[in-house]
């Protein structure tokens, strides 16, 4: 019941425009990882809502539940059709939840989650051994790993951690739903493209902590910008024109 009440609070927080969907989803993801602090308190700590907002939203939640005879689950079901459906919030809240069955683990993610469909492949323990951080950008980082199953070095991309952690520490889900959605879409779209100038994607999966990742081919050699910096004459630069055209075809 506590879970349903938390989700209902999130729905009302968005519908009353006290918090944005991204703020609620991010708080829900953190709540799923650490349920010791409920959703309302996380929203206050994140300064998404005020103490006054908390009282107002709780009042709406209590009145809605009362109108449904005290049945929280039924109340939540009633509001499932609102524009910010609880199924979307519930999908993100359970993204980091792992259900253990015997010796196996299976990711719990509702198939009906709109917009966000987490990968169904769960990372096999010990398959990827970290060698080093290869590169990083504003939202993600590339790790050089060794695929123990195939016996080759590849690149594993993951979202940047929400806090400063060591390179070999699994990444917790603390990103907004929008960022999570874009990351998964990036992997899927890239994986569907076939061109010599586009790095092939091997696998899209999710780690035991709920964070998504995808692996791709390790391209060895220097970048075009590095090669151009070593040139001193126009003729030397023109020699890389073919490479540049290949890049343009890949973008196209």
């Amino acid at each position: 019941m506590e879970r349903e009440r938390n989700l209902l609070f999130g729905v009302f927080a968005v519908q009353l425009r006290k918090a944005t969907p991204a703020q609620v989803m991010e708080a829900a993801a953190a709540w799923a990882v650490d349920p010791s602090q409920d959703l309302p308190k996380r929203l206050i700590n994140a300064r998404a809502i005020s103490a006054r907002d908390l009282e107002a939203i709780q009042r709406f939640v209590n009145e809605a539940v009362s109108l449904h005879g005290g049945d929280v689950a039924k109340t939540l079901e009633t509001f499932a059709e609102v524009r910010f459906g609880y199924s979307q919030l519930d999908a993100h809240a359970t993204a980091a939840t792992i259900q253990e069955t015997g010796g196996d683990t299976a990711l719990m993610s509702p198939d009906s989650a709109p917009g966000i469909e987490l990968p169904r492949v769960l990372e096999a323990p010990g398959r990827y051994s970290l060698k080093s951080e290869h590169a990083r950008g504003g939202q993600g980082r590339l790790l050089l790993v060794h695929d123990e199953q195939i016996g080759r070095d590849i690149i594993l991309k993951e979202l940047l951690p929400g806090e400063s952690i060591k390179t070999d520490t699994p990444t917790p889900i603390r990103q907004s739903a929008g960022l999570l959605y874009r990351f998964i879409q990036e992997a899927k779209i890239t994986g569907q493209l076939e061109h010599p100038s586009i790095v092939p994607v091997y696998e899209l999966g999710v780690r035991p902590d709920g964070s998504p990742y995808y692996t791709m081919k390790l391209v060895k050699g220097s970048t075009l910008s590095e090669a151009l910096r070593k040139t001193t004459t126009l003729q030397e630069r023109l020699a890389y024109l073919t490479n540049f055209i290949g890049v343009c075809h890949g973008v196209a």
Side-chain angles (χ1 to χ4, degrees):
M1 182 180 294
E2 189 63 28
R3 179 184 182 78
E4 285 80 4
R5 184 174 285 274
N6 269 264
L7 294 173
L8 190 60
F9 184 94
V11 171
F12 274 107
V14 173
Q15 289 302 302
L16 295 172
R17 297 187 177 181
K18 299 298 184 181
T20 66
Q23 288 174 324
V24 175
M25 286 181 178
E26 189 166 356
W31 161 52
V33 174
D34 179 16
S36 64
Q37 192 176 75
D38 62 17
L39 185 63
K41 190 170 183 179
R42 288 187 179 279
L43 288 172
I44 286 183
N45 291 341
R47 297 183 179 179
I49 63 174
S50 64
R52 186 174 180 179
D53 292 333
L54 173 65
E55 294 179 3
I57 298 170
Q58 289 284 26
R59 190 161 56 248
F60 273 97
V61 170
N62 292 335
E63 289 178 3
V65 172
S66 177
L67 288 173
H68 289 81
D71 191 331
V72 182
K74 187 176 180 180
T75 308
L76 190 59
E77 185 71 24
T78 301
F79 288 93
E81 300 302 323
V82 297
R83 186 175 181 182
F84 177 76
Y86 80 87
S87 58
Q88 185 174 5
L89 173 60
D90 188 51
H92 200 62
T94 57
T97 305
I98 302 297
Q99 180 183 25
E100 295 190 359
T101 308
D104 301 325
T105 56
L107 183 68
M108 296 173 62
S109 175
D111 295 331
S112 59
I116 302 175
E117 183 180 351
L118 289 170
R120 297 179 182 276
V121 176
L122 187 65
E123 179 186 9
R127 176 172 182 179
Y128 302 117
S129 57
L130 177 68
K131 301 188 74 173
S132 64
E133 181 174 302
H134 190 67
R136 69 167 55 200
Q139 298 178 337
R141 64 179 178 179
L142 303 178
L143 303 178
L144 175 61
V145 300
H146 186 73
D147 187 340
E148 302 292 345
Q149 182 172 317
I150 303 296
R152 63 182 175 184
D153 289 343
I154 60 174
I155 292 295
L156 184 148
K157 184 171 184 178
E158 65 176 9
L159 289 167
L160 282 175
E163 54 190 9
S164 179
I165 60 176
K166 294 181 180 180
T167 305
D168 58 350
T169 304
T171 308
I173 287 189
R174 299 194 188 281
Q175 292 79 22
S176 68
L179 181 58
L180 184 67
Y181 175 80
R182 288 193 298 272
F183 181 84
I184 295 174
Q185 285 299 100
E186 172 189 305
K188 288 184 175 180
I189 292 173
T190 306
Q192 293 171 26
L193 300 176
E194 294 184 13
H195 191 275
S197 295
I198 297 177
V199 181
V201 171
Y202 294 144
E203 177 183 75
L204 171 61
V206 68
R207 289 180 161 169
D209 67 355
S211 58
Y213 71 90
Y214 68 92
T215 59
M216 61 189 110
K217 178 181 179 179
L218 169 64
V219 179
K220 299 179 180 179
S222 59
T223 65
L224 184 57
S225 61
E226 290 172 341
L228 289 173
R229 280 197 294 268
K230 295 178 181 179
T231 63
T232 56
T233 66
L234 175 61
Q235 196 62 34
E236 289 177 338
R237 289 195 292 275
L238 287 175
Y240 290 102
L241 185 57
T242 303
N243 302 80
F244 179 70
I245 293 174
V247 172
C248 292
H249 283 308
V251 173

